[in-house]
């Protein structure tokens, strides 16, 4: 018997407490049939990378509303790559200006989802990416 | 190391202490029964070293917080710790929200602690089917202590007793009627009780209630629990007979501040030494491996039945049962006969 369960880490790096978006997405992904590991608030990039490794996730989802995305995201991507997880899909949500989103995508973030994104859009994106699309 | 790394590379890696290899091996074991067989075959000779500790108890009693604090106390003695935290799969979506990690922060810079969340998927009894295999992998990965947190348990979730050397049952004050809150099944499997949230009032009463039950013994405790409605738990009772000599401690802990956690660790170490010294360790290991064998045989027999006999014979027999031409027991015997023939 084979399962191909998709495992997703939802992490909220930074020092602020804006965790609503992360929790909404975590629940939506659970309801879509994913296994979601939620780490809670105030995670450093090191903590996120360690969790991603131990949990062997397929997707790392970061939620950042604090404005600190330009320092936090590239650091997470760099740590994931350094520990041999180049194949992890990295998603970012929260308050991210368009020009920053473009730069982060160049730095290895696969997609950025701003306020008002529907869960079904995010779910469809993950499914397509996991299917090799 | 890519997701698709060859199985042998994962086995070699995890035996050498490569944590990504370990993590990926656990996923394979969860996802694929054939891979589970290969990987366990590759590591089994290197298992049997770790102290396997089960932590169970009602939802929200502080199991995750306590496991994290305990890991920290083990680290203070330079013992390495692998944690498996099990949470339920949603029966509706097949997805799961695994939140135990939220209470287990503070170990991220430490290579001596490895925390893995696991969804129950189709498992029953408070664990996943892959839990026992994952414990073997953590053991083979070199961790001195392997701690498994079950899903928030009721009296039916006692599978942990079949996979752990030592079972810690976590209770907390204020769960309503103290005596009622202590679930019958959990009482029977505890080697150590931790009354957590001892900073809250009522902890003393919970401790007293537990101690009273332990003094009056298993059967009497059942009578207390069920208001005279006696419940027979013969298997559990005879097991306690064989393991006399371990006085079950009832400890107060405050997991959030670390209070009492040294004492819990010491009690665990004492139990581990007692298991070894009394011969109970090998008795339990025998039971554990026997249980594993039985589970695997059942799964294999079922799988073979599905592969070879379905749908033909099965639907014929069900039809016969519906017409009352054959009873369920004879139908089952018929299928089993076909299997062995
Ligand atoms: C609610 C809120 C709060 C609440 C937070 C409650 C909580 N537990 O989350 C409270 C009142 C506590 C709060 C406090 C503060 N806030 Co505030 N807050 C907001 C507000 C109004 C809404 C955020 C929200 O919850 N939205 C609802 C959720 C569902 O949407 P979302 O998070 O955007 O998520 C969606 C997408 O972004 C995406 N998504 C999000 N995460 C992820 C992750 C993944 C993996 C994916 C795929 C998608 C995804 O999908 C979601 C669904 O569409 C925003 C303004 C805004 N319009 O966003 C300000 C805002 C975020 N806050 C702000 C500030 C400044 C603060 C304070 C510092 C204010 C102060 N001076 O005290 C404090 C910080 C306190 C602290 N220590 O954290 C600023 C941040 C400015 C910046 N980025 O530079 C904002 C942008 C307001 C503003 N325009 O100035 N805040
Ligand atoms: N006051 C107090 N609160 C505690 C203590 N230990 C844990 N908690 C709190 O109790 C809540 C539940 O803790 P968890 O560790 O998540 O409990 P759990 O048993 O793992 O929960 P489930 O896995 O959901 O069954 C959290 O808010 C903890 O902070 C304690 O000793 N005292
Ligand atoms: Mg927990």
């Amino acid at each position: 018997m084979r399962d191909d369960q998709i495992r997703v880490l939802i992490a909220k790096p930074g020092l602020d407490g804006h965790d609503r978006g992360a929790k909404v997405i975590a629940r939506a992904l659970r309801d879509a049939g994913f296994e979601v590991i939620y780490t809670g608030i105030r995670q450093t990039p090191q903590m996120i990378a360690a969790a991603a490794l131990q949990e062997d996730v397929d997707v790392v989802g970061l939620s950042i509303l604090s404005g600190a995305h330009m320092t936090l995201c590239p650091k997470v991507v760099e740590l994931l790559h350094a520990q041999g997880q180049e194949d992890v899909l990295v998603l970012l949500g929260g308050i991210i200006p368009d020009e920053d989103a473009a730069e982060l995508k160049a730095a290895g973030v696969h997609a950025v989802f701003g306020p008002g994104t529907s869960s079904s859009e995010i779910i469809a994106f993950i499914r397509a990416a996991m299917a090799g699309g | 190391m890519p997701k698709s790394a060859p199985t042998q590379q994962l086995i070699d890696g995890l035996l050498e202490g490569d944590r990504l290899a370990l993590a990926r091996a656990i996923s394979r074991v969860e996802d694929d029964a054939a891979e589970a067989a290969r990987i366990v075959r590759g590591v089994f000779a290197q298992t049997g070293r770790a102290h396997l500790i089960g932590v169970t108890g009602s939802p929200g009693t502080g199991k995750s917080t306590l496991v994290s604090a305990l890991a920290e106390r083990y680290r203070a003695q330079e013992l390495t710790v692998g944690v498996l935290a099990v949470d339920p799969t949603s029966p509706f979506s097949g997805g799961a929200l695994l939140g135990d990690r939220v209470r287990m922060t503070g170990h991220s810079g430490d290579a001596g602690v490895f925390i893995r969340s696991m969804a129950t998927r189709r498992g029953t009894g408070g664990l996943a089917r892959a839990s026992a295999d994952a414990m073997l992998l953590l053991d083979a990965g070199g961790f001195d202590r392997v701690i498994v947190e079950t899903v928030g348990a009721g009296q039916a979730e006692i599978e942990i007793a079949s996979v752990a050397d030592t079972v810690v049952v976590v209770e907390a004050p204020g769960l309503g009627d103290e005596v009622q809150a202590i679930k019958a099944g959990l009482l029977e499997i505890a080697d150590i009780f931790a009354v957590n949230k001892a900073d809250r009032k009522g902890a003393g009463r919970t401790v007293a209630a537990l101690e009273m039950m332990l003094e009056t013994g298993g059967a009497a405790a059942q009578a207390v629990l069920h208001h005279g409605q006696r419940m027979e738990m013969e298997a559990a009772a005879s097991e306690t007979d064989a393991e006399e000599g371990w006085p079950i401690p009832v400890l107060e802990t405050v997991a959030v501040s670390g209070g009492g956690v040294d004492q819990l660790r010491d009690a665990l170490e004492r139990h581990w030494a007692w298991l070894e010294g009394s011969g109970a360790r090998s008795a339990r290991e025998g039971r554990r491996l026997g249980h594993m064998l039985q589970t695997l045989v059942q799964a294999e027999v079922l799988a073979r039945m599905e592969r070879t006999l379905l749908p033909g014979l099965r639907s014929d027999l069900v039809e016969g049962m519906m017409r009352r031409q054959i009873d369920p027991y004879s139908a089952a015997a018929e299928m089993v006969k076909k299997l062995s023939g």
Side-chain angles (χ1 to χ4, degrees):
Chain A
M1 187 171 316
R2 281 195 58 137
D3 286 341
D4 279 301
Q5 264 292 359
I6 296 171
R7 290 170 63 84
V8 184
L9 183 77
I10 297 292
K12 218 215 68 61
L15 299 174
D16 62 304
H18 292 99
D19 62 357
R20 260 193 222 164
K23 284 180 170 165
V24 166
I25 297 302
R27 270 185 228 112
L29 295 182
R30 184 228 13 225
D31 293 341
F34 299 102
E35 289 181 356
V36 181
I37 296 105
Y38 180 61
T39 62
I41 57 173
R42 300 208 176 85
Q43 301 284 298
T44 64
Q46 286 74 16
M47 290 160 90
I48 294 167
L53 182 140
Q54 293 170 3
E55 301 289 354
D56 184 32
V57 288
D58 306 290
V59 182
V60 171
L62 306 171
S63 184
I64 307 180
L65 286 81
S66 66
H69 48 272
M70 294 310 280
T71 47
L72 294 168
C73 290
K75 187 71 196 164
V76 171
V77 171
E78 183 193 313
L79 291 169
L80 289 172
H81 289 193
Q83 67 193 19
Q85 287 184 295
E86 298 88 353
D87 45 7
V88 171
L89 186 73
V90 181
L91 307 180
L92 170 63
I95 312 279
I96 316 293
D98 289 345
E99 61 271 24
D100 290 355
E103 202 173 312
L104 291 172
K105 281 185 190 166
V109 173
H110 294 89
V112 178
F113 300 94
T117 314
S118 74
S119 317
S120 51
E121 192 183 320
I122 295 165
I123 291 159
F125 183 90
I126 296 175
R127 289 234 165 89
M130 290 299 113
Chain B
M1 176 187 295
K3 282 254 170 205
S4 57
T7 312
Q8 193 57 47
Q9 195 184 329
L10 294 185
I11 294 170
D12 295 342
L14 90 86
L15 291 175
E16 286 158 16
D18 177 339
R19 298 307 184 215
L20 183 56
L22 171 62
R24 296 215 150 145
I26 294 175
S27 305
R28 293 256 180 113
V29 156
E30 275 192 285
D31 285 347
D32 186 331
E35 278 288 278
R38 273 179 225 119
I39 293 172
V40 170
R41 198 180 303 140
V43 306
F44 190 70
Q46 312 299 319
T47 63
R49 269 190 54 253
H51 182 189
L52 308 177
I53 299 163
V55 175
T56 189
S58 304
T61 47
K63 297 180 292 297
S64 302
T65 315
L66 195 57
V67 166
S68 184
L70 191 57
E72 193 189 310
R73 298 324 298 152
Y74 276 130
R75 294 300 292 138
Q77 296 187 326
E78 304 200 357
L79 292 165
T80 57
V81 184
V83 174
L84 191 64
V86 185
D87 267 326
T89 290
S90 157
F92 304 108
S93 69
L97 192 47
L98 310 171
D100 291 321
R101 249 197 128 88
V102 175
R103 309 281 169 213
M104 298 186 185
T105 53
H107 307 286
S108 75
D110 182 359
V113 178
F114 183 98
I115 300 167
R116 177 66 175 233
S117 311
M118 183 175 264
T120 52
R121 298 195 185 174
R122 288 172 301 276
T124 53
L127 292 176
R129 288 188 185 178
S131 296
D133 287 347
M135 291 166 78
L136 287 174
L137 301 195
L138 290 167
D139 185 347
F143 293 99
D144 301 310
R145 302 289 177 267
V146 172
I147 310 180
V148 182
E149 178 189 340
T150 73
V151 304
Q155 55 193 30
E157 281 78 33
I158 56 170
E159 179 75 10
I160 188 67
S162 306
V163 299
D165 295 307
T166 305
V167 175
V168 179
V169 173
V170 184
E171 289 291 341
L175 291 177
D177 183 321
E178 258 71 30
V179 178
Q180 288 294 330
I182 297 154
K183 307 285 189 349
L186 294 187
L187 191 71
E188 295 295 331
I189 63 172
D191 297 303
I192 297 171
F193 278 106
V195 175
N196 190 42
K197 306 196 186 184
D199 52 325
R200 297 218 177 140
K201 68 172 193 297
R205 267 197 297 149
T206 307
V207 170
L210 282 168
E211 281 175 342
M212 195 195 78
M213 282 184 197
L214 292 170
E215 268 165 34
T216 49
Q222 296 307 324
V224 172
L225 269 166
H226 297 283
H227 299 285
Q229 216 183 312
R230 285 188 84 84
M231 219 176 97
E232 302 296 335
M233 296 196 77
E234 282 171 38
S238 61
E239 171 184 311
T240 354
D241 291 346
E243 294 197 353
E244 253 170 65
W246 172 254
I248 298 171
V250 181
L251 307 171
E252 289 190 19
T253 59
V254 184
V256 280
S257 67
V261 181
D262 275 328
Q263 286 79 354
L264 175 59
R265 179 203 55 200
D266 293 346
L268 280 160
E269 295 297 288
R270 278 204 313 281
H271 190 249
W272 185 225
W274 174 83
L275 284 172
E276 193 72 74
S278 66
R281 184 181 171 201
S282 54
R284 284 189 182 200
E285 186 174 37
R287 239 194 298 139
R288 185 165 69 236
L289 295 176
H291 178 80
M292 211 167 176
L293 179 61
Q294 184 181 331
T295 308
L296 291 172
V297 170
Q298 275 167 358
E300 175 59 30
V301 168
L302 281 178
R304 207 192 291 177
M305 213 156 78
E306 313 249 317
R307 267 200 312 272
T308 58
L309 301 176
L310 288 177
L313 178 60
R314 186 176 186 276
S315 58
D316 287 354
L317 287 170
V318 169
E319 200 151 304
M321 284 158 67
M322 289 169 76
R323 293 214 198 90
R324 299 298 186 273
Q325 289 167 341
I326 186 165
D327 65 277
Y329 285 88
S330 309
E334 195 86 0
M335 280 194 93
V336 172
K337 201 166 70 196
K338 272 274 161 30
L339 263 185
S340 42

